[in-house]
Amino acid sequence: MPNPLSRTLRAYAADARAAFSAAPVEVALGVFLAVMLSIQVRNEGFTEDDFARIAASVALAFPLVFGLSVLRARGVVSAAARWAGTLGILIASAAFGYLALDTDREAEGWRWFLLAAAAVLLLTMTPSLPWRTRDRRASWAFAWRLAVRVVGIGLYSAALYAVLAGAVAAVISLFDLGRPEHLYTDLAGAVFFAFAPWILVGGIHRLFAPAEPGVPLAVSRLGRWLYTPVLVIYLLILYAYAAKVLATGELPRNLVSPLVIAAGLIGLLGAVLLEPAHDDDEHRGVSLLARAVPALLLPLVPLAAWALTARLGEYGWTEFRYVRLAAVAAIGILAVLGTIRLVRRRPPLLTTVPAVFAAVLLLSAVGPWSAPAVSRRDQTARLRAAFREARVDPKNLPRDTVTVDSALFERISSGARYLVDAHGIGALQAVVPSLPDSTRATYAMAAALRIRGGCSAGRLVSADLAWQGGVPVIGGAAHEVHLVEGDSLAVSIGAVGLRVWLDGDRLVAAAPAWRAAADLSAARRALEPRSVECDAEWRGTPTPLPPAQAVLAVRDSAGALMGQLLVTQLSVGGPQPGKGPSPPGIRVRGVRGLLVLPQPRP
């Protein structure tokens, strides 16, 4: 009788051979990536950027190559077409990783993300080919099984790595063994890069097997306990906010577009996974919601587009704003198509959902109207316009630094930093040719651009007491006070209970029977020039506060001396954004010191 262990091992070996036979390139890609990771951590000449390029190329190639393997297994394409397509994908992915991808440029990271997402969506569409003979149930079954398999293998791989890492650590500790320097990195590469993809492609024939009748239990629970409550909550929030916008006429907030995108992705992609619910009377509610999603999203798309386009006029295009607007556009297209099918009582959208999203992602990733191309053109034009407004020729920078108002300074500084971060120094040198290649996207870049911030209204500055060997104060009881504008403080000095607060240029102390104040106006006037000083950036170094301005009498309205305030730190500045209504001008914003009462009076 065969040994159960040997039988199990032979079964595992057979599965591995079958996986390699059905999808050899995918298995090889995973093993190759694991080997490259092990080499990278041991070879200083093989940098993290080199490995990132390889990983990005593999991530692009894997879903597309796997899609061709699925088509070949289904008999849709010939072996020659499969291998020719695979070779083309590998060459194109490698060329992108080594020739186009720059890991230091954010725009290229966005391009890779868009291409990788499109590749995954194209993989989900393989059971719909040929398009004319596509079967809705088969298309759903493939997408559902692929999603379940990816999630399951991901969780299994994480658990496997945790168990193996724990077991290795225990063996090393129990037997006093030396731990190899890169042991856990090698283990992670083997589990996540080599083993997990091998398991995934091993189920290639199960992915497109005939779908079972009825509604799977997991689909039922997904629709009833996750899809429906989450989507309803999102829609209620968005419709309530849309009603507020209509009632008040306010500009939609920036958070609206991410919420609409989240609701659209959940509603539309989730509906694809819930396809079996449409043929089952027990899931009529879930089916009705999934069918109505496009019509429910339709009024929200203009709201999200309004919120985004309003920011475009103020800040211009960036890859992030472009991708958000592209996602809103894709949701809008699907909302229109889905609503038409709902009105005509036709089956809801299925394969059209990943097809539209994939098309939008591809258009956003490549070509003259892609996210990187549009963002670079727009931000370059805005930077040139800002230089013209500052009356500075970027091709012939002035020898002396030019002072511009703070808003214009921020436009030039942030625009220049964006171009370097997202597109490299070459993008900024197209505007300012004299900049060296070593220029980095920091605030110090303003000095290289020969600009500095103007005299903006009252930034926060502070001054610390210069002790100078000692400060004379009156005797009595003292209490430390630390106040900021708008707050009050309860203080107990001996038997006296006081309430202390800032009132303009005065620190007010009030007891049940008296009220007195210390005048901070002289110290505030001394600091005011620093608050409006023209400078590119304040470094936060406090100004010395002389004792003559730091030791202040606390007097009542009749001029009687009630105590003394020793100021150890004083902060002055203008109104702060986001702090509510505030008087204009520079004033005392905070004070720290000692409040001294010579003879505490109740």
Side-chain angles (χ1 to χ4, degrees):
M1 183 175 180
N3 187 312
L5 178 60
S6 63
R7 185 171 60 248
T8 302
L9 293 176
R10 284 196 299 271
Y12 285 159
D15 288 344
R17 286 194 302 271
F20 189 80
S21 175
V25 176
E26 295 88 321
V27 173
L29 285 173
V31 174
F32 171 72
L33 191 58
V35 172
M36 289 297 102
L37 177 62
S38 295
I39 294 175
Q40 188 275 316
V41 296
R42 291 172 170 83
N43 190 341
E44 294 183 357
F46 187 29
T47 65
E48 292 183 1
D49 286 345
D50 294 331
F51 177 76
R53 290 188 179 94
I54 292 175
S57 299
V58 170
L60 282 181
F62 188 92
L64 298 176
V65 172
F66 189 45
L68 286 176
S69 297
V70 171
L71 292 176
R72 175 56 187 156
R74 292 178 54 225
V76 176
V77 298
S78 65
R82 181 245 188 122
W83 291 116
T86 298
L87 180 61
I89 291 169
L90 293 176
I91 293 174
S93 299
F96 174 81
Y98 270 92
L99 301 179
L101 182 63
D102 188 335
T103 56
D104 292 329
R105 299 181 184 181
E106 293 180 3
E108 295 305 322
W110 278 107
R111 192 192 305 276
W112 172 84
F113 168 77
L114 294 169
L115 289 173
V120 173
L121 290 172
L122 290 174
L123 170 62
T124 65
M125 295 171 57
T126 52
S128 300
L129 298 177
W131 190 261
R132 293 182 179 179
T133 60
R134 67 188 183 278
D135 177 77
R136 291 182 63 90
R137 187 77 179 189
S139 298
W140 161 80
F142 182 89
W144 172 257
R145 291 165 180 167
L146 181 64
V148 171
R149 194 167 181 83
V150 168
V151 172
I153 292 173
L155 294 175
Y156 171 70
S157 299
L160 179 64
Y161 174 77
V163 171
L164 292 178
V168 169
V171 170
I172 291 173
S173 176
L174 291 173
F175 295 95
D176 298 322
L177 301 176
R179 180 175 67 85
E181 182 180 359
H182 305 293
L183 173 64
Y184 294 110
T185 303
D186 293 338
L187 181 61
V191 170
F192 293 106
F193 294 153
F195 190 51
W198 202 321
I199 299 175
L200 175 65
V201 300
I204 185 171
H205 294 285
R206 289 190 287 273
L207 289 175
F208 58 85
E212 302 83 358
V215 181
L217 181 59
V219 173
S220 176
R221 290 178 175 175
L222 174 68
R224 288 174 172 172
W225 305 116
L226 187 61
Y227 178 83
T228 298
V230 171
L231 183 58
V232 168
I233 289 172
Y234 269 82
L235 292 174
L236 287 176
I237 292 172
L238 287 168
Y239 270 94
Y241 182 70
K244 177 188 175 185
V245 170
L246 291 175
T248 61
E250 70 175 35
L251 179 70
R253 298 188 181 180
N254 202 29
L255 183 61
V256 171
S257 60
L259 289 177
V260 172
I261 292 171
L265 294 177
I266 293 170
L268 294 169
L269 294 178
V272 172
L273 299 179
L274 298 176
E275 169 68 16
H278 300 308
D279 300 324
D280 189 89
D281 291 339
E282 294 184 6
H283 298 83
R284 188 174 301 171
V286 174
S287 174
L288 179 61
L289 177 61
R291 291 172 182 271
V293 159
L296 294 172
L297 290 172
L298 199 56
L300 299 174
V301 169
L303 184 68
W306 181 14
L308 280 169
T309 53
R311 273 76 187 178
L312 290 177
E314 186 175 358
Y315 303 110
W317 288 93
T318 63
E319 288 77 16
F320 185 44
R321 295 191 188 101
Y322 184 107
V323 170
R324 286 162 64 182
L325 193 58
V328 170
I331 291 170
I333 294 171
L334 292 170
V336 171
L337 296 177
T339 302
I340 293 174
R341 296 181 73 90
L342 178 66
V343 172
R344 293 182 176 179
R345 298 182 180 276
R346 298 183 63 185
L349 298 173
L350 187 66
T351 312
T352 307
V353 174
V356 169
F357 275 120
V360 170
L361 289 171
L362 289 173
L363 290 174
S364 302
V366 295
W369 298 106
S370 64
V374 169
S375 300
R376 178 170 177 170
R377 285 198 302 268
D378 180 71
Q379 293 295 335
T380 299
R382 292 173 67 88
L383 182 59
R384 288 193 172 114
F387 272 117
R388 286 195 299 271
E389 190 174 336
R391 297 182 179 180
V392 172
D393 182 3
K395 295 184 178 180
N396 185 22
L397 292 177
R399 177 174 300 178
D400 298 325
T401 301
V402 176
T403 299
V404 298
D405 68 76
S406 58
L408 184 55
F409 169 79
E410 180 59 28
R411 283 169 53 194
I412 295 174
S413 179
S414 62
R417 292 197 307 273
Y418 162 80
L419 286 177
V420 174
D421 279 335
H423 301 280
I425 184 61
L428 182 57
Q429 287 172 331
V431 182
V432 189
S434 61
L435 290 178
D437 293 341
S438 59
T439 304
R440 293 293 178 265
T442 65
Y443 283 96
M445 181 187 291
L449 296 175
R450 300 292 191 272
I451 59 169
R452 62 189 293 182
C455 305
S456 58
R459 63 191 173 195
L460 185 67
V461 296
S462 63
D464 287 349
L465 172 63
W467 292 95
Q468 298 177 351
V471 177
V473 296
I474 63 175
H479 193 286
E480 184 179 16
V481 293
H482 182 198
L483 287 169
V484 295
E485 184 183 30
D487 292 342
S488 63
L489 180 67
V491 176
S492 296
I493 302 180
V496 181
L498 303 176
R499 175 67 59 178
V500 185
W501 69 91
L502 285 173
D503 181 16
D505 285 342
R506 303 188 310 154
L507 182 142
V508 181
W514 57 270
R515 174 181 292 198
D519 186 6
L520 300 165
S521 59
R524 189 264 304 162
R525 285 193 297 271
L527 281 179
E528 188 170 317
R530 276 216 68 191
S531 185
V532 295
E533 180 182 4
C534 300
D535 192 12
E537 181 185 8
W538 177 60
R539 298 297 180 181
T541 304
T543 300
L545 186 66
Q549 297 173 357
V551 182
L552 306 173
V554 180
R555 301 182 183 276
D556 63 11
S557 58
L561 182 65
M562 307 299 293
Q564 195 176 58
L565 176 66
L566 174 62
V567 179
T568 58
Q569 188 179 72
L570 183 70
S571 300
V572 304
Q576 292 295 294
K579 299 295 184 181
S582 183
I586 298 172
R587 58 196 181 280
V588 176
R589 296 278 312 286
V591 64
R592 184 192 295 269
L594 296 175
L595 181 61
V596 184
L597 297 185
Q599 294 179 350
R601 308 176 193 179

